[in-house]
Amino acid sequence: MKLSNYKYYLLGGLLTAGLLNFSACSLDYEPLASYSDLTEGIEEEEGERVEFATKADVESALEALYQKMKDRMEHWAMDQLLIGDSHSDNAYGGSTDGGVVNYENNSIDANNPNIVRDWDRFMEDATAATRIINNVDLVPDASFAEADRNSIKAQAMIFRAFIWFEMTRMWGNIPLNLTLPPDITADNIEEVYPEYFPPQNTQQEAYEKIVEDLLYAVEHAPNTDAADKTLFSNDVARALLAKVYAEKPMQDYSKVIQYCDELEAHGYGLADNFSDLFGMNELVTDVKMRNTREGILEAQFPASGGNWMAWMYGRDLLDYDYSFSWAKWITPSRDLVAAFEKAGDTERYNETVVWYECTWSNYYPKEHYAFAYKCRSGASSIIYIRFADILLLKAEAYLRGANKDLNAAADIIDRIRERAGLDPLPASVRGSESSLWEAYKLERRLELALEGQRWYDLCRWGEVENVMNHINDEGRAANVKPYDENSYLMPLPQTVLDSNENLVQNPGY
C-alpha cells in the first residue's frame, strides 16, 4: 500500500497537528485541495519516485509558492499584525474574539487558534519550498538549464527563509524540515514515522541556515524588476539578510549597513510621498501607486479587488459598506494616537489611522471610532518589506553597533522625518546618544505603525517589560499577567506538542 499523499499531509499538516481545525474568523482551509501528480509525485518504476518530471512541473510548484504568499494573508500578514501591533502598545485586539483579545491582554496560551494556525501553515508552506529546493536538480529534463534550476531554487529558498525568519522570531527553537522523509508504507511505517516528527533546531541554527540560503539567493535569484516588486529577487534576499543581522543571536550591525547600502545602490529609496505607499487614486477606484522605489517585496491585487484584509481592519473603500457590521481587528490604540499627536506627525497619522462611525463601541464611542488604515481597499498591496524599514535598521546599526556614528544615524532619521513633513532633529538631540536613541525608537514606531514591526522591535531592544508593563492607556484591557523574560517568545501549539514528543514548550507557558 503506497501512502505518498499521506506523506505530504503528514509533513505539512500532521507534523504540526490540527491543520484542519481553524475556528478564527471561519478561515477553514483544506491543505491538499486536489489530488494530482504535483501533490503526490510521479512514480516511474516500482519503488522509485520522481517529484517533478519536467521544468514546467517545477515552475508550477514555484508559482504555487507565490500564490501562497498572496492568498494566505491570515498568517503571512494579518496574524503578524496581531503580534506586532495588538500585542504591543500600538493597537488593541479589536475583535471580542478570545483568540484575538489574548494578544492584547497578554493571555496567549498554547491553545490560541491563531498560534495553531500560524504554526501549521508556516510549516506546510516551508515543506512546499523544501520539496522544490531538494528536487529541482533531479528533474530529468534536458532542456532545463542549470541557471534556471539555480534561479528557481533560490526563489524557493527566499520563500522558506522568510517563513523561518518569522517562525524563529515567534517561537525561538523550531524544527527545520530540510529533507522530505520517504513514503510511508505498511512495511516501513515504524521506521519512517519518527522522521515526520523531528526535534527543534536552536534559534542560532535556524538563523545560520536562513543566512546560508539567503547568500545562495543573492547569487542566483533574479535581479529586481522595478515594474514588479512581487518577485523573490536577490534584493529581497539582501533585505532579509539586513533584518536577520539586526536580530539576536545573529546580530552584526556591520552587515545591516552593508546590505542596506547594496539595496540603495540598486535604486531603492523612499517613495516621494508617504501616501504613495498606501493611498488610493483620486477616484477611489484603485491604489495610488504600485511598485514604488521603496517597495522591496509586495503582494499585489487588481483594481477590482481581492485583498480581503481590508474589511478585516475597517472599510473596503472599493465597496464602502461591505461587511461593516462587526468589530474589526487591530484597532489603533490611544497610546499610538497620542504619540502621533505629540510629535505633530499629521501626514503619517492620516495614512495610518482613520475614524468612522460604526455600530459597536468596544474601544471608542461608536460615533468616532479608530480603524487601521494602511490596508484600505481590496486593491491595496501588502508591502511585506519596504526600504524605510531597512534604512531605519541602518540608523540603529550606527547607534548600537560596534562603530557608532551619531551624525550618520541622525541624518537617516532626518531623511525619514523630511518625507513625513517634520522638522529636522534639534542639535541637542543630534549631539546626545541617549536622546538620539529615544528619537530613533519613536521614529521607527511612527513610520512603521500597524505594519507588524513594533513587538519585534521591543523584543530586539530588550524593552518588552519596560514598555508593556507601564502603558498608560485607559482603553487597553488589563494584562492578565505581567510581561517578563518569558514573554518574548510565543507558546508552541499544544496540538504540536501532543503529536511530537521531541518538541519542548517555551518557558512560561
Side-chain angles (χ1 to χ4, degrees), residues 247-263:
E247 297 290 336
K248 302 173 182 177
M250 290 294 288
Q251 202 164 72
D252 183 343
Y253 279 126
S254 66
K255 295 288 189 182
V256 175
I257 295 171
Q258 172 193 332
Y259 289 113
C260 180
D261 288 347
E262 289 182 12
L263 288 169

Side-chain angles (χ1 to χ4, degrees), residues 98-117:
V100 174
V101 173
N102 294 157
Y103 291 83
E104 179 185 344
N105 64 16
N106 197 32
S107 62
I108 301 172
D109 61 28
N111 294 307
N112 180 282
N114 301 308
I115 290 289
V116 174
R117 175 175 69 199

Side-chain angles (χ1 to χ4, degrees), residues 48-351:
E48 293 186 6
R49 179 188 182 88
V50 176
E51 293 290 344
F52 306 108
T54 66
K55 177 183 178 181
D57 290 343
V58 186
E59 291 173 336
S60 294
L62 179 64
E63 181 60 31
L65 295 190
Y66 279 101
Q67 199 64 35
K68 286 176 186 290
M69 189 188 73
K70 183 175 179 179
D71 289 347
R72 297 190 182 186
M73 293 173 278
E74 69 278 355
H75 72 290
W76 274 96
M78 190 170 68
D79 286 357
Q80 292 306 306
L81 264 68
L82 270 182
I83 296 172
D85 290 290
S86 293
H87 198 44
S88 78
D89 51 350
N90 273 359
Y92 313 125
S95 169
T96 57
D97 178 87
V100 174
V101 173
N102 294 157
Y103 291 83
E104 179 185 344
N105 64 16
N106 197 32
S107 62
I108 301 172
D109 61 28
N111 294 307
N112 180 282
N114 301 308
I115 290 289
V116 174
R117 175 175 69 199
D118 292 344
W119 178 283
D120 287 347
R121 295 189 184 181
F122 273 140
M123 288 293 289
E124 184 189 352
D125 291 352
T127 298
T130 297
R131 183 181 179 223
I132 295 174
I133 293 164
N134 290 5
N135 291 285
V136 64
D137 290 331
L138 304 178
V139 176
D141 187 336
S143 68
F144 200 174
E146 181 180 2
D148 293 335
R149 294 174 191 257
N150 292 342
S151 175
I152 290 174
K153 184 190 298 185
Q155 291 171 75
M157 284 180 170
I158 292 171
F159 178 91
R160 189 176 69 179
F162 198 170
I163 292 171
W164 283 346
F165 176 65
E166 298 291 1
M167 290 187 70
T168 196
R169 288 199 302 176
M170 289 173 65
W171 289 292
N173 300 340
I174 59 172
L176 303 180
N177 49 328
L178 293 171
T179 61
L180 298 178
D183 294 329
I184 295 177
T185 68
D187 295 328
N188 72 359
I189 187 168
E190 290 187 4
E191 176 185 351
V192 171
Y193 196 75
E195 296 185 41
Y196 288 84
F197 300 95
Q200 291 153 288
N201 295 86
T202 67
Q203 192 174 42
Q204 177 75 33
E205 291 170 339
Y207 274 122
E208 287 175 354
K209 182 56 180 171
I210 290 169
V211 167
E212 177 186 331
D213 285 357
L214 290 175
L215 289 175
Y216 181 93
V218 166
E219 183 176 355
H220 296 288
N223 292 330
T224 293
D225 181 347
D228 186 1
K229 298 296 184 68
T230 69
L231 299 176
F232 298 129
S233 69
N234 51 26
D235 281 331
V236 173
R238 290 181 174 91
L240 283 172
L241 281 165
K243 291 181 73 67
V244 166
Y245 278 117
E247 297 290 336
K248 302 173 182 177
M250 290 294 288
Q251 202 164 72
D252 183 343
Y253 279 126
S254 66
K255 295 288 189 182
V256 175
I257 295 171
Q258 172 193 332
Y259 289 113
C260 180
D261 288 347
E262 289 182 12
L263 288 169
E264 194 150 20
H266 291 177
Y268 288 92
L270 300 180
D272 293 337
N273 301 292
F274 196 72
S275 65
D276 292 345
L277 299 168
F278 309 105
M280 301 291 290
N281 63 17
E282 292 184 2
L283 298 176
V284 195
T285 57
D286 196 3
V287 294
K288 182 179 180 181
M289 295 185 69
R290 295 180 180 86
N291 301 307
T292 69
R293 62 176 177 166
E294 189 165 340
I296 298 175
L297 179 63
E298 303 178 8
Q300 297 176 0
F301 303 86
S304 58
N307 185 347
W308 53 262
M309 287 202 307
W311 46 264
M312 291 297 296
Y313 303 145
R315 291 189 182 276
D316 182 346
L317 298 187
L318 296 181
D319 193 352
Y320 196 72
D321 292 321
Y322 178 75
S323 195
F324 197 68
S325 59
W326 45 273
K328 304 302 182 177
W329 290 32
I330 326 293
T331 300
S333 69
R334 290 168 176 80
D335 193 83
L336 177 63
V337 171
F340 275 114
E341 290 177 342
K342 184 178 180 180
D345 192 349
T346 303
E347 185 168 345
R348 288 186 295 197
Y349 171 53
N350 289 337
E351 295 296 323

Side-chain angles (χ1 to χ4, degrees), residues 281-459:
N281 63 17
E282 292 184 2
L283 298 176
V284 195
T285 57
D286 196 3
V287 294
K288 182 179 180 181
M289 295 185 69
R290 295 180 180 86
N291 301 307
T292 69
R293 62 176 177 166
E294 189 165 340
I296 298 175
L297 179 63
E298 303 178 8
Q300 297 176 0
F301 303 86
S304 58
N307 185 347
W308 53 262
M309 287 202 307
W311 46 264
M312 291 297 296
Y313 303 145
R315 291 189 182 276
D316 182 346
L317 298 187
L318 296 181
D319 193 352
Y320 196 72
D321 292 321
Y322 178 75
S323 195
F324 197 68
S325 59
W326 45 273
K328 304 302 182 177
W329 290 32
I330 326 293
T331 300
S333 69
R334 290 168 176 80
D335 193 83
L336 177 63
V337 171
F340 275 114
E341 290 177 342
K342 184 178 180 180
D345 192 349
T346 303
E347 185 168 345
R348 288 186 295 197
Y349 171 53
N350 289 337
E351 295 296 323
T352 305
V353 180
V354 67
W355 299 80
Y356 296 127
E357 183 178 352
C358 61
T359 59
W360 57 93
S361 54
N362 298 343
Y363 295 97
Y364 296 96
K366 62 184 180 180
E367 295 80 13
H368 188 61
Y369 204 96
F371 295 88
Y373 200 45
K374 285 184 172 176
C375 179
R376 61 192 69 165
S377 80
S380 293
S381 298
I382 300 172
I383 305 177
Y384 285 114
I385 311 176
R386 61 183 177 98
F387 184 70
D389 176 11
I390 309 304
L391 185 61
L392 283 167
L393 289 177
K394 181 181 177 181
E396 183 174 317
Y398 283 134
L399 287 166
R400 284 293 181 261
N403 299 311
K404 290 183 172 60
D405 189 333
L406 300 189
N407 283 331
D411 287 345
I412 291 173
I413 296 171
D414 278 347
R415 185 175 165 188
I416 298 288
R417 289 173 63 83
E418 180 182 8
R419 199 261 299 270
L422 299 175
D423 293 334
L425 295 170
S428 59
V429 173
R430 292 181 66 97
S432 166
E433 183 175 344
S434 60
S435 296
L436 193 56
W437 175 243
E438 293 302 315
Y440 166 74
K441 290 189 295 182
L442 175 62
E443 204 62 39
R444 188 164 170 87
R445 182 186 187 188
L446 300 182
E447 175 69 22
L448 301 173
L450 308 187
E451 295 182 46
Q453 300 297 324
R454 176 67 170 171
W455 171 259
Y456 296 115
D457 287 345
L458 294 177
C459 290

Side-chain angles (χ1 to χ4, degrees), residues 18-54:
L19 219 170
L20 299 179
N21 184 22
F22 302 117
S23 58
C25 293
S26 299
L27 299 176
D28 294 331
Y29 174 72
E30 176 67 35
L32 292 174
S34 60
Y35 192 77
S36 68
D37 287 344
L38 286 182
T39 57
E40 177 164 334
I42 300 167
E43 290 187 44
E44 287 193 324
E45 298 178 8
E46 182 63 31
E48 293 186 6
R49 179 188 182 88
V50 176
E51 293 290 344
F52 306 108
T54 66

